[in-house]
Amino acid sequence: MATQQVDHPGPVTPGDDPPRPGRIPVVDNTLSMLRDPLAFYDRVGAMDADVVGYNVAGTTGYFVTHPDLVEQILVTDEGSYEKGALLQQTLGEYIGEGLFLLEGEEWKEQRTALQPAFYREKIAAYGETMTGFAAATGDGWSDGERFDVLPEMREYTLRVLGKTLLDVDIDRTAGALEPLLSALRERLDPRSLSAYVPLAVPTPTNRRVRTARANFEATLDDIIAERQAESAAEREARDDVLSLLLSLDEATMTRERLGHQLLTFLVAGHDTTALTLTYAWFLLGHHPERQQKLHDELDSVLGGADPTPEDLFELPYLDDVLTETLRLYPPAFTTFRQPTEPVTLGGYDVSPEAQLTIPQWLVHRDERWFDDPDAFRPERWTDEFEAQLPDYAYYPFGGGPRHCIGMRFARMEAKLAIATLAQRYRFETVTEPPLNLAMRITLSPTEPVDVRVHER
Ligand code: HEM
């Protein structure tokens, strides 16, 4: 197996243990990790080591923060790693049969079957939906209005997903989806007790999840029954993800798996993109000169017209704004893996029981790769900069065969929404930096991100 040589605070010899947070060599980090994961990550980052050991809830884990090691795990030696027990325990009962958690041949078969839903041409066809809903979101605002921007962006991304995944009446999907997603957010919040109580225990949160889940499955049953009653020509004309799933043979796509796949797309695609947009407005609002530069680009290319997917090729600054936003605030703030066999990482021996934390949050802000790493500077993303950046110093969508299947979808959706709304409004940010964040399922603000919009 390939191993990479990377910088270390000192030479590593076989049998060495990596450094750990806290002065005691083997320290239990459970409490600090549970109380404030983000502060714990930052303590690890401050150690300036490429591999850092920790112990949480009886499990040994390692943070891996050098891009070469990230690449080793996600790409070069990816066959020696799985998603791991932690993710299976937390998410398995909801989406264990979905693409995010399946492993081996089953994963490969599903990824191949689902890939056509995310082909470039297919995604481009969703462009009109994305722009249309963004315009409708903007229609609901008035000049000078102040509001928390995250719920607005959540509603937007949910509408886009409802239409592109299921192609059914928006209010009907919102009624089935929003309660389920919000119950799941609550249930999976690692700071809340509910994350550690089995679903069968009737806590208020668990009851909410179970009711919302049953409602979602019932709505799905109705939609599937309607589809089955359609003529072949009607079905042919459909362009949503559900129609692709229903066109697969029963052995590939059982009813249970279909539910897990759709829920996977909803969980993976809803909050992530809504948070990206929220962070983009926050950053643009606090950097009026950058917002102005974006307005200038939009005005000169679009001249007030709504953006199409083709227009995005002519909007490089918009692309850089999104790239820089995802660097500073990666909604998927970490990637988890567990080795399936003994491996060597940066000279350290790692056993198959170990949980590996590969944190975008730390790697994206490492000053070895990013000058003035905490600054919002879309201008840094020049071709020369990208050419010399190590491949895995930036990986908001993961990497290797398990990289995000929705990456193109998410980037297009975010850019079309920013282009549509920034043409109509200038965003003033009311919430002062620094933004208080928490590591939940995704990197989330702990307080409202208030903005005031001004008609342009
Ligand atoms: C800004 C938005 C998004 C971010 C930051 C993001 C991030 C990621 C990351 C980091 C992974 C890899 C996880 C790993 O290796 O363990 C991933 C996987 C995945 N994402 Fe996304 N994602 C986004 C949007 C979406 C959207 C819109 C969809 C679907 C509509 C989606 C569906 C998925 C699925 C199904 C996987 C699992 C792929 C597999 O294992 O084959 N994501 N995402």
Side-chain angles (χ1 to χ4, degrees):
M1 164 177 322
T3 53
Q4 314 268 336
Q5 280 309 309
V6 291
D7 295 338
H8 295 282
V12 181
T13 49
D16 273 0
D17 264 344
R20 290 165 185 271
R23 265 175 281 139
I24 317 156
V26 176
V27 67
D28 187 290
N29 308 111
T30 310
L31 266 186
S32 36
M33 180 68 130
L34 289 184
R35 265 199 207 125
D36 190 352
L38 197 134
F40 186 72
Y41 274 55
D42 284 343
R43 267 173 65 204
V44 168
M47 292 172 67
D48 282 333
D50 297 329
V51 181
V52 170
Y54 66 90
N55 266 45
V56 165
T59 315
T60 300
Y62 299 92
F63 277 86
V64 178
T65 59
H66 192 289
D68 290 351
L69 298 177
V70 175
E71 185 169 10
Q72 182 184 332
I73 299 169
L74 296 184
V75 190
T76 332
D77 294 344
E78 56 86 21
S80 304
Y81 300 88
E82 288 189 341
K83 295 274 173 143
L86 183 81
L87 284 182
Q88 297 288 355
Q89 276 157 20
T90 335
L91 299 172
E93 59 197 301
Y94 312 104
I95 55 167
E97 290 290 307
L99 198 58
F100 191 84
L101 284 185
L102 283 173
E103 297 286 359
E105 282 306 311
E106 281 190 314
W107 166 78
K108 209 176 276 172
E109 188 186 70
Q110 293 288 310
R111 177 101 187 188
T112 310
L114 294 175
Q115 200 65 55
F118 295 91
Y119 284 161
R120 196 183 296 275
E121 322 77 73
K122 195 84 178 176
I123 303 289
Y126 298 147
E128 207 172 310
T129 299
M130 293 167 174
T131 300
F133 284 133
T137 303
D139 288 346
W141 300 341
S142 51
D143 190 25
E145 191 180 343
R146 172 184 168 160
F147 51 86
D148 178 3
V149 74
L150 178 55
E152 292 286 310
M153 296 299 110
R154 274 198 181 125
E155 190 176 329
Y156 165 66
T157 57
L158 190 60
R159 280 170 174 253
V160 170
L161 281 175
K163 177 76 182 158
T164 54
L165 291 181
L166 303 170
D167 192 17
V168 291
D169 179 68
I170 289 307
D171 294 326
R172 180 170 166 196
T173 40
L177 300 181
E178 176 43 47
L180 178 58
L181 292 172
S182 87
L184 280 179
R185 270 198 297 276
E186 199 176 309
R187 152 108 185 130
L188 298 173
D189 184 343
R191 299 157 318 139
S192 112
L193 259 188
S194 23
Y196 308 94
V197 180
L199 193 58
V201 180
T203 61
T205 304
N206 280 349
R207 273 205 297 268
R208 266 185 357 102
V209 174
R210 292 226 304 264
T211 310
R213 178 84 183 272
N215 200 356
F216 167 72
E217 292 293 339
T219 307
L220 207 53
D221 279 338
D222 288 351
I223 297 170
I224 292 170
E226 284 163 24
R227 294 292 174 97
Q228 280 158 349
E230 284 177 350
S231 68
E234 279 172 317
R235 268 188 247 164
E236 191 86 338
R238 285 193 176 275
D239 201 18
D240 54 284
V241 175
L242 177 61
S243 51
L244 175 92
L245 301 183
L246 288 172
S247 72
L248 301 171
D249 62 90
E250 173 69 14
T252 314
M253 193 57 62
T254 60
R255 171 63 185 81
E256 186 199 6
R257 188 163 273 177
L258 189 141
H260 279 224
Q261 291 294 15
L262 285 173
L263 193 53
T264 298
F265 288 134
L266 287 164
V267 171
H270 173 236
D271 237 18
T272 43
T273 317
L275 286 161
T276 304
L277 286 166
T278 300
Y279 295 135
W281 299 128
F282 175 80
L283 289 163
L284 287 167
H286 279 297
H287 295 85
E289 67 298 347
R290 264 130 201 165
Q291 186 167 189
Q292 186 56 52
K293 196 167 162 185
L294 178 66
H295 288 165
D296 292 346
E297 181 179 87
L298 295 173
D299 294 349
S300 84
V301 174
L302 301 173
D306 277 340
T308 64
E310 295 75 53
D311 292 327
L312 298 179
F313 293 110
E314 311 297 320
L315 297 166
Y317 193 66
L318 171 62
D319 196 73
D320 293 342
V321 165
L322 176 63
T323 302
E324 182 71 344
T325 301
L326 285 164
R327 180 184 73 79
L328 280 172
Y329 298 115
F333 58 89
T334 198
T335 305
F336 292 112
R337 288 292 186 274
Q338 192 172 337
T340 52
E341 56 183 325
V343 294
T344 307
L345 283 173
Y348 299 110
D349 295 330
V350 173
S351 76
E353 292 82 48
Q355 169 75 46
L356 302 179
T357 299
I358 313 159
Q360 281 91 336
W361 172 255
L362 295 181
V363 182
H364 286 188
R365 287 178 184 244
D366 189 328
E367 58 191 6
R368 287 178 292 180
W369 329 117
F370 299 98
D371 185 30
D372 199 1
D374 295 337
F376 175 61
R377 288 210 327 240
E379 292 73 14
R380 73 169 85 234
W381 291 96
T382 60
D383 290 347
E384 301 71 51
F385 174 74
E386 288 193 41
Q388 58 73 50
L389 189 69
D391 280 351
Y392 281 82
Y394 180 79
Y395 55 107
F397 294 97
R402 303 297 299 247
H403 77 274
C404 178
I405 200 173
M407 176 176 79
R408 243 186 242 137
F409 182 107
R411 288 193 61 96
M412 192 169 96
E413 180 184 10
K415 287 199 281 185
L416 289 174
I418 295 173
T420 305
L421 292 168
Q423 280 212 107
R424 299 177 180 208
Y425 293 100
R426 175 172 63 79
F427 282 69
E428 177 197 345
T429 320
V430 181
T431 302
E432 284 300 321
L435 203 50
N436 289 318
L437 297 167
M439 287 173 169
R440 298 182 183 153
I441 322 180
T442 42
L443 183 72
S444 311
T446 56
E447 57 202 348
V449 182
D450 282 343
V451 298
R452 198 184 295 283
V453 288
H454 301 278
E455 266 173 24
R456 297 186 52 220

